[in-house]
C-alpha cells in the first residue's frame, strides 16, 4: 500500500494546479490532506470519486482556515472526526479512518506566530500525545500522518543554529516530539530509511528558499512500532509543487 501525506495549503488552489492529475500519477491508496482551507461543500469530492477515492473532510468553523481530510481507494470501516476536544475540533485538526488491521490519522498541528498561539500549540501537542497513547490501547496499529509544524532534529532544518529560537524548532517543541515518539512507541518512517541531510518538506515563499533548498522537515508519517517490519519505503516527493509543502510517501504491506 502507498500512503501520502500532503499539506496542500488550500485544496481549491491545488486543484487549479492540476492536483488531480498529480494524484492519478502518484496513485496512493490513501492520501492524508492538511490545510484544506475549505468547507466540505467547497471541495470537489465528485472529481475525487471519479478518480477512485472515497474522501472525508473535517473542516474548521472559520472559513478558509486549517482543515484536514483523508481520501482512500478502500472505503474505511469507520471515520472519526476530531478528538473530542472542542477547541481543536473547531479548527479541523484531526481526522481518523479505520481500516482492517490498522487506522490512519491525518493531523495538522497548530503553528505559533505569537506567545498565545505557542501556548495553544503546546497544549494541543500534550493533549494529542495523550489521545494517541489512549487510542493505541484500542487500535495498536496506527499511521499518524500530517504537518506537525516541528523539526525534530538539527538534520531536519537548513539552519539549526540561526533558527534555534524560532517556533518550529524550539527546544520545548523538539523535546515534545521525542517524548511523542517514545511514549507512543512510534517510528519516524522517513528516518527509518534515510538519514541524509537536506531533506525537507516545507520552504518559505520568501528569498527563493525552495530553489535554494533552505527548508524545514515539518511533515511526517509516523507508524506504530508494531508496523516496523511492514514498512518497505519512505520518500519525500519534492517534485510536487502545488503548495509551499511537498508530499511525503510511505509504502507498507499489511
Amino acid at each position: 500500500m502507498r500512503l501520502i501525506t500532503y499539506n496542500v495549503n488550500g485544496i481549491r488552489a491545488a486543484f487549479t494546479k492540476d492536483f488531480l492529475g498529480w494524484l492519478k500519477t502518484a496513485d496512493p491508496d490513501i492520501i492524508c490532506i492538511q490545510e484544506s482551507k475549505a468547507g466540505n461543500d467547497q471541495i470537489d469530492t465528485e472529481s475525487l470519486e471519479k478518480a477512485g477515492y472515497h474522501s472525508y473532510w473535517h473542516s474548521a468553523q472559520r472559513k478558509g482556515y486549517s482543515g484536514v481530510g483523508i481520501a482512500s481507494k478502500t472505503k474505511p470501516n469507520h471515520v472519526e472526526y476530531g478528538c473530542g476536544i472542542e477547541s481543536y475540533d473547531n479548527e479541523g485538526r484531526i481526522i481518523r479512518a479505520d481500516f482492517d488491521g490498522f487506522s490512519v490519522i491525518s493531523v495538522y498541528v497548530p503553528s505559533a506566530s505569537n506567545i498565545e498561539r505557542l501556548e495553544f500549540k503546546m497544549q494541543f501537542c500534550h493533549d494529542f500525545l495523550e489521545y494517541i497513547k489512549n487510542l493505541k490501547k484500542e487500535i495498536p496499529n496506527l499511521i499518524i500522518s500530517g504537518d506537525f509544524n516541528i523539526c525534530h532534529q538539527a538534520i531536519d532544518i537548513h539552519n539549526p543554529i540561526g533558527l534555534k529560537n524560532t517556533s518550529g524548532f524550539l527546544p520545548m517543541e523538539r523535546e515534545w516530539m521525542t517524548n511523542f515518539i517514545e511514549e507512543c512507541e512510534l517510528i519516524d518512517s522517513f528516518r527509518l530509511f534515510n538519514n541524509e541531510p537536506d531533506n525537507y518538506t516545507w520552504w518559505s515563499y520568501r528569498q527563493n528558499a525552495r530553489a535554494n533548498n533552505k527548508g524545514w522537515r515539518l511533515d511526517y508519517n509516523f507508524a506504530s512500532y508494531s508496523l516496523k517490519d511492514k514498512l518497505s519505503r519512505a520518500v519525500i516527493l519534492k517534485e510536487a509543487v502545488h503548495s509551499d509543502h511537498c508530499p511525503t510517501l510511505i509504502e507498507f504491506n499489511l
Side-chain angles (χ1 to χ4, degrees), residues 11-12 35-43 58-60 64-67:
I11 188 69
R12 289 170 292 174
E35 215 171 353
S36 59
K37 293 185 175 181
N40 288 18
D41 59 339
Q42 297 176 307
I43 299 171
H58 182 36
S59 301
Y65 178 73
S66 189

Side-chain angles (χ1 to χ4, degrees), residues 79-240:
V79 176
E80 189 73 21
Y81 299 88
C83 65
I85 299 176
E86 186 176 5
S87 59
Y88 308 146
D89 294 347
N90 287 346
E91 293 194 357
R93 295 199 172 273
I94 299 169
I95 187 171
R96 187 184 89 233
D98 300 334
F99 301 92
D100 291 344
F102 71 104
S103 294
V104 173
I105 291 173
S106 179
V107 59
Y108 180 37
V109 173
S111 60
S113 56
N114 55 49
I115 292 296
E116 183 180 7
R117 285 302 287 182
L118 180 60
E119 291 175 355
F120 180 79
K121 177 180 185 177
M122 295 314 299
Q123 187 61 52
F124 176 95
C125 287
H126 170 77
D127 292 338
F128 186 66
L129 187 154
E130 294 301 318
Y131 169 73
I132 296 300
K133 281 173 67 176
N134 289 327
L135 184 63
K136 284 195 72 182
K137 297 173 184 176
E138 175 189 351
I139 306 171
N141 295 333
L142 286 177
I143 296 173
I144 305 163
S145 301
D147 176 4
F148 279 75
N149 269 308
I150 297 171
C151 292
H152 186 207
Q153 304 289 357
I155 194 176
D156 298 316
I157 193 167
H158 73 276
N159 183 8
I161 296 174
L163 295 167
K164 64 182 180 181
N165 295 319
T166 302
S167 180
F169 196 58
L170 295 174
M172 70 173 74
E173 295 169 314
R174 299 172 62 195
E175 181 182 7
W176 172 83
M177 184 164 279
T178 296
N179 293 337
F180 176 65
I181 291 169
E182 292 178 354
E183 293 184 32
C184 297
E185 298 182 325
L186 300 172
I187 299 162
D188 177 351
S189 63
F190 181 75
R191 288 300 178 207
L192 182 65
F193 296 97
N194 189 321
N195 285 310
E196 296 300 315
D198 304 321
N199 285 288
Y200 309 122
T201 65
W202 176 82
W203 302 263
S204 170
Y205 282 130
R206 301 172 184 171
Q207 298 178 335
N208 219 20
R210 190 163 190 162
N212 294 318
N213 201 27
K214 304 296 186 183
W216 306 45
R217 190 170 74 97
L218 301 176
D219 305 85
Y220 300 80
N221 290 307
F222 290 111
S224 294
Y225 194 79
S226 56
L227 297 175
K228 182 178 180 180
D229 293 341
K230 308 294 185 182
L231 303 176
S232 58
R233 183 171 174 249
V235 293
I236 292 172
L237 305 176
K238 61 183 180 181
E239 71 280 0

